[in-house]
Amino acid sequence: MYLIHVRLAAPDGAAPPDDLRDLLLDRLRPGGPIDHVSISRDGTVPPTVGMFVTAPSLVESERIARAAAVRAIAAEPRLRPLTVAHCGAALVGAHFEQLLAGPSGGGRSLPRQDQDSSGS
């Protein structure tokens, strides 16, 4: 499962409807790859939509989230002023900090090029 952030844009800074989450959920396919939708209420207008997507890859998850947002905007007249400004996975900084600090070679997840990886 991947957390994909969908950043929406609105003309003239117009605020989206208060029931944005419900409007999006109403347009998603039941039992589909999007398990959960959350709305960031951090003061950004319009807010960022978080979609938890189950897919075989990050790239596929991003494609699914973008398509779902575009489909919802097209299907719901109250959302039509909005556009998708950006769609992508959120960087989880704490995870990468842990990798860098970990005992497995200073954050390396692959062997050095001068190391034999054949196991012999």
Side-chain angles (χ1 to χ4, degrees):
M1 182 178 299
Y2 298 92
L3 170 57
I4 307 299
H5 284 175
V6 181
R7 192 171 60 241
L8 302 174
D12 303 324
D18 289 336
D19 57 346
L20 174 62
R21 180 178 175 276
D22 294 333
L23 292 172
L24 291 170
L25 285 172
D26 288 347
R27 302 296 180 210
L28 298 178
R29 297 180 182 122
I34 299 175
D35 296 322
H36 179 71
V37 174
S38 65
I39 306 295
S40 169
R41 298 289 181 192
D42 62 0
T44 59
V45 176
T48 298
V49 177
M51 293 187 183
F52 293 84
V53 183
T54 302
S57 71
L58 175 61
V59 171
E60 182 67 8
S61 294
E62 290 173 336
R63 186 197 65 72
I64 289 168
R66 178 180 296 277
V70 168
R71 190 172 55 249
I73 289 168
E76 174 55 52
R78 293 171 46 208
L79 297 179
R80 287 193 189 136
L82 300 173
T83 58
V84 175
H86 176 77
C87 181
L91 175 64
V92 182
H95 170 73
F96 292 103
E97 290 293 331
Q98 181 181 7
L99 283 177
L100 290 172
S104 64
R108 289 187 173 275
S109 59
L110 295 173
R112 296 181 188 272
Q113 289 187 8
D114 61 344
Q115 289 178 325
D116 181 9
S117 61
S118 66
S120 53

